[in-house]
């Protein structure tokens, strides 16, 4: 009899525990966040050592003692970003500190779904404007939404105009293919939008996508990393939409040099390397831009301790050129800035003649590849455009035979190359720069 009573008691305790757990899943509010945490850790295997679980691009820590209950089926949990992460977007550098949350949404089957939501606001004065990146923790699927003054943007033209992003060729008319950011000063892949047929069309009770309301209610845990980090400083001071959008696109793109190093990786905060883009009205006719070393210092061992490079773009002429030509000029000057960081300048801080030698020998394909990948430009015409501005510059050490070889890699006759370059420069060929 005693054994029977003991068995009944045990069963009742188990049922009671199950009912208690179910009450957490089914009641009207989450009264014990530890149960939610336990559920999350059971689903994901998360512990504090798994700092890349929420996003593979940068380290995070979940702060379970800082939460917001939006309603019975949606909980927002604060997340600390342990790295210095910035998005260059719309001429701004958006810091992701206190911009990430873990979002828990309970579906109709009483199961909690989790996603990491990253906010990249560009303006908050008239409602949320910027990006919201949602990443499903269980599936790894990412979704990028673009907002303007609180309204979601679905039109590809509007997205590109607002944010200067490149769209996927296989998914034109919908979302940008990838968004890039800088993690600890290095250009790093951050997020790529998955095709709509994977993520699904609209939002439902099963979705954990972020929205502007989450941003307004998000919990903040003001704790950052004490670890030293490197961070680049690049500012886009251009106001003309053509120049501004072109420069933004270059900043966001992972442009690789011949050594597979990101061109903009040289500009990091700990070395005080700064790059600034400006519009110029005083450049001579046919001069698209200039890159000027304005400040630098060296350490006793000869390495650079700091450096400022200024790029001026000809606002009088470039906006009437094709966007391909404008991008070529901006990237050409960016490479000059990069070569400054490698020491290619004379005792007066002026460009050394070797800079254009380096352009010919190592960076024509870099520029042409960018034009081809970004704008779908014919690779041979892109190579022609990439050499524009390099003609008649040889007070340098490059041998004439090498020059001829490099200059003829496209297979396009020299007279035809001159006509092509002029057409792109005048805007009669290519696409309008906006």
């Amino acid at each position: 009899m005693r054994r029977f009573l003991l068995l009944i008691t045990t069963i009742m305790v188990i049922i009671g525990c199950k009912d208690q757990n179910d009450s957490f899943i089914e009641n009207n509010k989450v009264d014990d966040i530890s149960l939610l945490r336990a559920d999350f850790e059971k689903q994901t295997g998360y512990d504090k050592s798994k700092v890349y679980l929420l996003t593979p691009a940068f380290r995070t820590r979940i702060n379970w003692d800082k939460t917001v209950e939006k309603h019975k089926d949606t909980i927002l949990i604060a997340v600390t970003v342990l790295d210095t992460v910035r998005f260059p977007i719309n001429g701004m550098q958006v810091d992701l500190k206190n911009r990430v949350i873990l979002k828990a949404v309970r579906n109709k089957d009483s199961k909690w779904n989790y996603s990491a939501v990253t906010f990249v606001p560009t303006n908050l004065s008239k409602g949320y404007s910027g990006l919201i990146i949602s990443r499903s923790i269980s599936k790894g699927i990412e979704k990028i939404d673009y907002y303007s003054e609180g309204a979601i943007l679905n039109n590809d033209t509007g997205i590109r105009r607002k944010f200067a992003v490149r769209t996927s060729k296989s998914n034109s008319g919908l979302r940008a293919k990838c968004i890039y950011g800088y993690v600890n000063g290095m250009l790093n892949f951050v997020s790529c939008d998955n095709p709509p047929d994977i993520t699904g069309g609209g939002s439902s009770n099963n979705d954990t996508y972020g929205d502007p309301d989450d941003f307004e209610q998000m919990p903040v845990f003001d704790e950052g990393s004490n670890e030293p980090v490197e961070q680049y400083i690049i500012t886009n001071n251009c106001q003309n939409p053509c120049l501004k959008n072109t420069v933004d696109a270059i900043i966001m793109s992972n442009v690789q040099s011949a050594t597979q190093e990101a061109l903009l990786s040289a500009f990091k905060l700990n070395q005080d390397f700064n790059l600034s883009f400006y519009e110029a009205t005083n450049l001579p006719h046919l001069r698209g831009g200039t890159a000027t070393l304005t400040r630098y210092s060296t350490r006793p061992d000869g390495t650079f301790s700091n450096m400022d490079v200024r790029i001026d773009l000809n606002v009088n002429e470039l906006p009437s050129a094709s966007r391909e030509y404008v991008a070529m000029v901006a990237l050409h000057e960016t490479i000059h800035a990069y070569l400054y960081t490698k020491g290619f300048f004379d005792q007066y801080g002026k460009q050394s003649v070797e800079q254009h030698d380096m352009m010919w020998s190592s960076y024509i394909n870099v520029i042409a590849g960018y034009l081809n990948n970004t704008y779908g430009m014919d690779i041979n015409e892109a190579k022609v455009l990439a050499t524009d501005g390099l003609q008649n510059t040889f007070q340098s050490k490059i041998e004439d035979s090498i020059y001829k070889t490099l200059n003829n890699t496209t297979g396009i006759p020299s007279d035809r190359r001159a006509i092509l370059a002029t057409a792109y420069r005048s805007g009669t060929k290519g696409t309008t720069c906006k």
Side-chain angles (χ1 to χ4, degrees):
M1 185 66 177
R2 289 181 180 178
R3 290 181 179 178
F4 177 74
L5 291 174
L6 181 60
L7 178 61
I8 293 298
T9 302
T10 303
I11 292 173
M12 292 300 292
V13 169
I14 293 173
I15 292 174
C17 291
K18 182 178 185 302
D19 288 343
Q20 184 180 19
N21 187 62
D22 285 347
S23 69
F24 164 70
I25 299 297
E26 295 174 358
N27 67 13
N28 289 334
K29 71 175 185 176
V30 176
D31 51 13
D32 189 351
I33 200 67
S34 65
L35 293 176
L36 184 68
R37 176 177 181 175
D39 178 74
F40 176 80
E41 292 176 351
K42 180 179 179 181
Q43 284 196 41
T44 63
Y46 177 82
D47 60 51
K48 288 186 176 181
S49 68
K50 296 180 179 178
V51 292
Y52 290 103
L53 185 137
L54 296 190
T55 171
F58 51 86
R59 301 175 302 146
T60 57
R61 178 190 300 126
I62 302 172
N63 299 296
W64 294 99
D65 54 347
K66 192 73 172 179
T67 63
V68 169
E69 183 180 356
K70 289 186 63 176
H71 49 75
K72 66 176 183 177
D73 294 321
T74 304
I75 311 297
L76 311 180
I77 304 100
V79 171
T80 296
V81 177
L82 299 174
D83 294 308
T84 298
V85 185
R86 278 178 166 78
F87 276 84
I89 185 169
N90 222 23
M92 303 171 59
Q93 304 296 326
V94 180
D95 192 338
L96 292 195
K97 182 180 180 181
N98 293 328
R99 302 293 197 198
V100 180
I101 59 171
L102 175 64
K103 185 174 183 178
V105 175
R106 183 168 47 193
N107 63 22
K108 295 178 180 179
D109 298 327
S110 296
K111 179 182 178 181
W112 289 94
N113 296 314
Y114 302 93
S115 65
V117 180
T118 301
F119 300 95
V120 191
T122 58
N123 195 328
L124 300 172
S125 61
K126 297 181 180 179
Y128 185 94
S129 293
L131 317 183
I132 299 179
I133 304 170
S134 306
R135 179 176 185 270
S136 167
I137 303 302
S138 61
K139 298 179 181 179
I141 292 173
E142 293 182 318
K143 180 174 183 286
I144 305 173
D145 286 316
Y146 300 83
Y147 285 85
S148 178
E149 298 181 1
I152 192 168
L153 292 177
N154 289 312
N155 179 270
D156 175 62
T157 302
I159 290 172
R160 282 186 291 172
R161 184 176 64 250
K162 292 283 185 182
F163 301 103
V165 294
R166 178 164 60 95
T167 57
S168 168
K169 294 177 183 178
S170 62
N171 185 28
S172 59
L174 287 169
R175 303 186 185 282
K177 183 178 181 181
C178 292
I179 301 298
Y180 293 90
Y182 286 79
V183 180
N184 296 340
M186 297 297 293
L187 193 61
N188 195 351
F189 155 74
V190 173
S191 181
C192 282
D193 199 13
N194 296 112
D197 58 340
I198 295 178
T199 61
S203 185
S204 70
N205 193 44
N206 294 328
D207 295 334
T208 50
Y209 302 146
D211 57 58
D213 186 57
D214 292 337
F215 182 79
E216 293 177 4
Q217 300 188 46
M218 67 182 294
V220 174
F221 194 93
D222 193 10
E223 176 188 320
S225 172
N226 293 322
E227 301 175 19
V229 295
E230 295 179 342
Q231 175 197 316
Y232 81 113
I233 297 294
I234 300 178
T235 55
N236 181 5
N237 300 294
C238 297
Q239 298 299 315
N240 179 275
C242 166
L243 302 186
K244 180 178 181 300
N245 292 339
T246 301
V247 170
D248 280 345
I250 288 175
I251 292 174
M252 287 194 295
S253 296
N254 191 15
V255 183
Q256 297 291 322
S257 73
T259 60
Q260 299 304 307
E261 183 178 11
L263 289 179
L264 303 181
S265 67
F267 299 91
K268 303 172 185 176
L269 184 62
N270 73 320
Q271 293 179 324
D272 198 17
F273 279 32
N274 305 307
L275 175 61
S276 301
F277 290 84
Y278 292 90
E279 297 174 358
T281 58
N282 59 348
L283 292 178
H285 177 54
L286 299 183
R287 176 72 62 83
T290 60
T292 307
L293 179 61
T294 59
R295 179 183 65 91
Y296 77 96
S297 297
T298 57
R299 303 183 182 92
D301 63 359
T303 59
F304 300 118
S305 58
N306 57 65
M307 181 177 290
D308 291 346
V309 182
R310 174 183 176 126
I311 291 177
D312 288 289
L313 299 175
N314 192 335
V315 72
N316 293 333
E317 297 186 7
L318 287 180
S320 62
S322 68
R323 65 175 182 177
E324 293 87 349
Y325 188 85
V326 176
M328 179 277 293
V329 170
L331 189 53
H332 177 108
E333 300 306 332
T334 298
I335 293 172
H336 276 306
Y338 176 80
L339 292 176
Y340 277 127
T341 71
K342 299 302 181 182
F344 289 96
F345 57 91
D346 63 22
Q347 60 182 326
Y348 306 106
K350 303 297 183 181
Q351 290 180 16
S352 65
V353 292
E354 289 86 0
Q355 283 214 12
H356 276 158
D357 283 351
M358 293 291 293
M359 288 270 198
W360 275 105
S361 62
S362 301
Y363 292 98
I364 297 303
N365 288 336
V366 171
I367 297 174
Y370 178 82
L371 297 176
N372 174 258
N373 292 329
T374 305
Y375 303 116
M377 188 177 178
D378 176 82
I379 189 62
N380 288 314
E381 292 192 3
K383 287 181 179 180
V384 169
L385 207 57
T387 63
D388 192 66
L390 292 177
Q391 288 86 353
N392 303 318
T393 61
F394 294 100
Q395 302 169 354
S396 61
K397 300 175 183 177
I398 193 168
E399 295 181 7
D400 187 60
S401 60
I402 298 175
Y403 160 69
K404 288 180 179 179
T405 300
L406 292 169
N407 199 31
N408 287 287
T409 55
T410 66
I412 298 176
S414 59
D415 57 344
R416 176 60 181 158
R417 290 199 296 269
I419 293 173
L420 277 172
T422 300
Y424 279 105
R425 186 190 305 117
S426 65
T428 58
K429 188 173 180 59
T431 51
T432 303
C433 186
K434 297 179 179 180

